[in-house]
């Protein structure tokens, strides 16, 4: 007769969930980060799972992880059940009088500093049973392990958004300014057309739409220029610091540079051209029902971003 695994003291379900995360990520370290445990603990869990099931699940080497036949069978049968298990747990949690549980956020550094830090702190004070796990990053994210992601993009009129299965909610939009330090312009000259930028050192973020393709408009005519591949950084505040240090020409949002332009630390370039806009969007996967902790936080965040943005505008 087979062993009754669920009656044992081993957290068998947690270990199977982590095992599936390892195969999906292809790495113990990445799986551990998404599951919120240490890589050492995760490795021990898989080893204990193999001992409990009396079968090897993963063949390990220094270069890769490969599922055994037994491991592949477990992964193929159990992985499709995960969404249903999560939905059931979330439906049960929604019956609680107080919001509780964990919310996972992925945010660009600039939005985290300007808005998210304050909003999360306020929400934790309002709902002590809600916990947050925040990842500061600008690139791709896994929507299965992240509840809400906040990403910046540079867009222009007539541009079509790429198709996505995720819900996309526009939170902020502000103009982008092309600017450089007076010292840099004194040494390299002032570019007066988009084409002239190809001769300059340019600072850019590839995670912004287009990356090194900058868009400008004048008299209804669009001009998109591919800048020289000089320096790439996906942190807008670091790009600002580099521009202030005369490293090159930067393409940055109004809220980040307007004071420096007013004080003369930076000079706006090609102000007769209309630049693209700098957008902050919130992304999340459609879930029915959405956990109340997430639904409540989403409503609160949208309201507070609008209020804080109005406050910023009034203070300028």
């Amino acid at each position: 007769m087979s062993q009754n695994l669920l009656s044992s003291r081993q957290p068998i379900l947690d270990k199977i969930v982590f095992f599936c995360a390892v195969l999906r990520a292809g790495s113990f370290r990445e799986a551990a980060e998404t599951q919120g445990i240490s890589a050492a603990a995760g490795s021990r869990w898989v080893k204990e799972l193999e001992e409990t099931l009396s079968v090897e699940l993963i063949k390990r080497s220094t270069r890769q992880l490969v599922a055994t036949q037994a491991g592949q069978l477990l992964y193929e049968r159990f992985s499709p059940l995960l969404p249903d298990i999560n939905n059931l747990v979330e439906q049960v949690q929604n019956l609680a009088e107080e919001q509780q549980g964990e919310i996972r956020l992925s945010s660009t550094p600039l939005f985290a500093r300007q808005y998210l830090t304050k909003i999360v702190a306020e929400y934790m004070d309002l709902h002590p049973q809600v916990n947050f796990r925040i990842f500061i990053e600008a690139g791709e994210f896994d929507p299965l392990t992240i509840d809400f992601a906040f990403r910046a993009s540079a867009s222009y009129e007539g541009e079509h958004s790429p198709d996505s299965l995720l819900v996309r909610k526009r939170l902020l939009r502000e103009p982008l300014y092309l600017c450089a330090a007076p010292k840099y312009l004194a040494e390299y000259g002032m570019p007066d057309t988009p084409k002239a930028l190809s001769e300059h050192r340019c600072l850019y973020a590839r995670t912004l739409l287009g990356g090194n393709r900058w868009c400008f408009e004048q008299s209804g005519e669009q001009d998109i220029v591919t800048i020289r591949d000089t320096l790439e950084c996906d942190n807008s505040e670091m790009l600002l610091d580099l521009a202030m240090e005369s490293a090159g020409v930067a393409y940055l949002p109004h809220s980040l540079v307007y004071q420096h332009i007013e004080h003369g630390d930076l000079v706006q370039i090609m102000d007769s051209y209309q630049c693209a806009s700098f957008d902050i969007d919130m992304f999340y996967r459609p879930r029915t029902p959405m956990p109340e902790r997430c639904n409540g936080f989403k409503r609160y965040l949208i309201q507070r971003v609008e209020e804080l943005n109005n406050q910023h505008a009034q203070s300028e």
Side-chain angles (χ1 to χ4, degrees), residues 13 76 83 188 209 256:
L13 291 179
E76 290 177 354
Y188 294 96
L209 182 66
L256 204 57

Side-chain angles (χ1 to χ4, degrees), residues 123-315:
Y123 205 76
M124 290 175 66
D125 189 48
L126 292 170
H127 302 281
Q129 299 302 315
V130 175
N131 305 314
F132 286 87
R133 187 178 297 272
I134 303 176
F135 303 90
I136 305 301
E137 54 194 359
E140 295 182 358
F141 64 96
D142 183 355
L144 295 179
T145 60
I146 295 294
D147 293 304
F148 300 102
F150 306 94
R151 288 295 183 268
S153 64
S155 60
Y156 50 89
E157 292 300 325
E159 170 239 338
H160 297 288
S161 300
D163 293 334
S164 174
L165 296 177
L166 300 177
V167 178
R168 178 179 182 176
K169 168 68 176 175
R170 176 66 41 79
L171 297 177
L172 297 166
R173 167 166 281 184
E174 58 181 297
L176 280 164
Y177 288 169
L178 195 66
C179 54
K183 180 181 176 182
Y184 173 86
L185 295 173
E187 182 174 354
Y188 294 96
M190 172 79 76
D192 54 2
T193 65
K195 185 177 180 181
L197 289 172
S198 62
E199 302 301 320
H200 282 263
R201 298 202 315 240
C202 294
L203 319 173
Y204 72 98
R206 188 169 295 278
T207 49
L208 292 183
L209 182 66
N212 63 345
R213 296 177 70 248
W214 290 356
C215 177
F216 304 90
E217 183 177 322
Q218 188 179 57
S219 302
E221 295 291 326
Q222 283 189 355
D223 195 346
I224 299 178
V225 59
T226 300
I227 63 172
R228 196 168 68 186
D229 197 0
T230 302
L231 189 147
E232 175 190 352
C233 174
D234 286 330
N235 186 318
S236 297
E237 291 175 300
M238 187 171 181
L239 290 177
L240 171 64
D241 292 340
L242 288 163
M244 298 276 284
E245 292 294 331
S246 305
V249 177
Y251 203 28
L252 295 169
H254 166 83
S255 60
L256 204 57
V257 300
Y258 78 96
Q259 288 186 331
H260 298 288
I261 292 175
E262 285 185 354
H263 296 158
D265 302 321
L266 291 174
V267 177
Q268 185 177 357
I269 299 170
M270 292 164 38
D271 56 2
S272 63
Y273 285 82
Q274 181 179 347
C275 298
S277 64
F278 180 82
D279 306 329
I280 296 291
D281 295 317
M282 175 171 65
F283 295 90
Y284 56 94
R285 67 187 187 276
R287 288 189 281 178
T288 305
M290 176 178 281
E292 183 52 35
R293 66 182 182 278
C294 294
N295 206 21
F297 176 72
K298 175 168 67 73
R299 292 193 301 266
Y300 185 81
L301 178 132
I302 292 172
Q303 174 188 336
R304 290 296 286 136
V305 166
E306 182 178 359
E307 293 171 350
L308 292 172
N309 188 42
N310 290 336
Q311 292 175 16
H312 293 164
Q314 293 171 5
S315 65

Side-chain angles (χ1 to χ4, degrees), residues 15-177:
K15 292 175 181 178
I16 296 177
V17 169
F18 180 76
F19 163 76
C20 291
V22 170
L23 288 193
R24 186 168 59 247
S27 162
F28 274 92
R29 180 183 57 80
E30 291 183 22
E33 288 178 356
T34 61
Q35 298 297 310
I37 64 174
S38 69
S43 179
R44 186 175 66 251
W45 269 18
V46 172
K47 184 176 180 180
E48 290 173 354
L49 178 62
E50 291 176 325
E51 291 174 352
T52 301
L53 299 177
S54 301
V55 64
E56 185 181 31
L57 300 173
I58 296 178
K59 290 187 178 295
R60 303 163 177 82
S61 72
T62 56
R63 294 185 178 181
Q64 61 181 349
L65 302 174
V66 178
T68 64
Q69 182 179 1
Q72 190 65 33
L73 175 63
L74 179 61
Y75 177 78
E76 290 177 354
R77 294 288 182 87
F78 194 85
S79 286
L81 303 178
L82 288 174
D84 290 335
I85 294 174
N86 289 334
N87 285 339
L88 174 59
V89 172
E90 289 167 354
Q91 288 181 47
V92 172
Q93 287 180 328
N94 284 345
L95 298 178
E97 293 183 1
E98 291 188 37
Q99 292 186 34
Q100 58 182 309
E102 183 178 82
I103 300 176
R104 293 180 168 229
L105 309 176
S106 171
S107 175
T108 59
L110 183 61
F111 181 74
R113 183 182 66 80
Q114 291 184 332
Y115 293 91
L116 194 59
T117 300
K118 179 176 180 59
I119 293 171
V120 166
E122 291 173 352
Y123 205 76
M124 290 175 66
D125 189 48
L126 292 170
H127 302 281
Q129 299 302 315
V130 175
N131 305 314
F132 286 87
R133 187 178 297 272
I134 303 176
F135 303 90
I136 305 301
E137 54 194 359
E140 295 182 358
F141 64 96
D142 183 355
L144 295 179
T145 60
I146 295 294
D147 293 304
F148 300 102
F150 306 94
R151 288 295 183 268
S153 64
S155 60
Y156 50 89
E157 292 300 325
E159 170 239 338
H160 297 288
S161 300
D163 293 334
S164 174
L165 296 177
L166 300 177
V167 178
R168 178 179 182 176
K169 168 68 176 175
R170 176 66 41 79
L171 297 177
L172 297 166
R173 167 166 281 184
E174 58 181 297
L176 280 164
Y177 288 169

